[in-house]
Amino acid sequence: MNTDTKTRPMPQFWYGLPHGYAEVDLNPTEEGVAELARQLRELPEEARARADQTFRLYAMTVLLLRKQPVAVYALGVHPDAEGEPASSVLTISAVPSEGANPLRVLAAMVTDSAGGDEIDGMRPVELPAGVGFLTERVRKTPAPGAPPAGQEEPSQGTVWQGTVAVPEPRTSSIVVVQLVTSSVELADDYRSVLLGTARTLSFTDPTAADKGQGSERNSGSAAQAMESDFG
């Protein structure tokens, strides 16, 4: 759950991350980047080149995401049915509706989503934070890595993309929880992860009820929902 207020303003929402996901720091300090670069230089030569590629990809990803309203970016790795690693990307964004009705903005966002074949139309889901709206798509996207020899354009890959959008009542903004994976065959499992994450979303501090009440938790609270979904 994000409760760090020393390096960033108090967030408008709180959340829990599923097991197997590591959050990427989108606001690294200069000292932190320099220390990471120093550690890379000290790696054995055979591992240094691959680590350097990963470092460059991280730097490029941070630059791109800082231009978008992405507040949370987390990478997940889980074993598939054969025990091979399956990767996914989880993001949480806060999208302002510029004073417009957030439900209308939501409908426009879903309608204008580019690319892909829609699996399910937008459908409501009951969440502790209110009513959310779930959409799923299978779409084409450029595959990571360099293009194959003799080919200028990168190869195309297929990904499953699930999105839960939740209107935030106080600011008329929309919080978007999105999960993307190339393991399309595991869509049912990743849908459960997506909905589990959306159920932890809260627009009030989930620990506020605990302050002044010892260790007791209110039944049905967002904090309790986090424990239920992610242990």
Side-chain angles (χ1 to χ4, degrees):
M1 181 179 61
N2 184 359
T3 58
D4 183 4
T5 59
K6 295 181 180 179
T7 59
R8 65 180 70 180
M10 177 67 74
Q12 294 179 336
F13 58 88
W14 287 257
Y15 58 91
L17 284 182
H19 295 304
Y21 284 85
E23 188 169 347
V24 176
D25 186 2
L26 297 180
N27 296 283
T29 63
E30 292 184 9
E31 294 80 5
V33 173
E35 173 61 19
L36 183 56
R38 185 193 65 78
Q39 293 176 12
L40 292 180
R41 289 194 296 269
E42 294 181 353
L43 289 173
E45 185 175 352
E46 59 273 14
R48 195 181 307 150
R50 185 170 183 180
D52 182 66
Q53 289 181 343
T54 303
F55 176 72
R56 292 176 184 274
L57 176 61
Y58 166 66
M60 183 176 64
T61 300
V62 167
L63 288 175
L64 290 174
L65 291 178
R66 288 177 69 172
K67 297 178 182 179
Q68 306 295 327
V70 175
V72 181
Y73 180 84
L75 301 176
V77 179
H78 302 83
D80 62 14
E82 284 72 40
E84 297 296 323
S87 60
S88 58
V89 174
L90 176 68
T91 60
I92 307 178
S93 309
V95 182
S97 62
E98 305 297 340
N101 185 313
L103 292 179
R104 292 182 181 177
V105 174
L106 260 178
M109 288 172 57
V110 173
T111 302
D112 295 339
S113 295
D117 301 320
E118 189 169 341
I119 299 176
D120 287 314
M122 183 171 67
R123 65 180 190 268
V125 290
E126 293 291 338
L127 304 171
V131 178
F133 297 88
L134 169 68
T135 58
E136 300 177 56
R137 290 183 180 275
V138 173
R139 61 182 179 84
K140 298 289 186 180
T141 184
Q151 182 176 316
E152 295 184 0
E153 299 295 327
S155 299
Q156 293 287 310
T158 303
V159 299
W160 175 85
Q161 175 182 297
T163 304
V164 175
V166 186
E168 202 281 301
R170 293 173 298 185
T171 64
S172 297
S173 60
I174 300 165
V175 175
V176 179
V177 184
Q178 188 170 88
L179 185 59
V180 179
T181 179
S182 59
S183 301
V184 179
E185 70 281 2
L186 299 177
D188 289 345
D189 295 327
Y190 281 110
R191 184 188 307 109
S192 297
V193 173
L194 172 67
L195 291 173
T197 305
R199 290 189 184 100
T200 71
L201 190 66
S202 174
F203 296 127
T204 58
D205 186 347
T207 65
D210 297 336
K211 298 172 184 177
Q213 293 188 17
S215 59
E216 295 181 2
R217 294 190 184 273
N218 290 341
S219 176
S221 69
Q224 190 178 63
M226 291 182 188
E227 293 179 350
S228 175
D229 280 311
F230 300 137

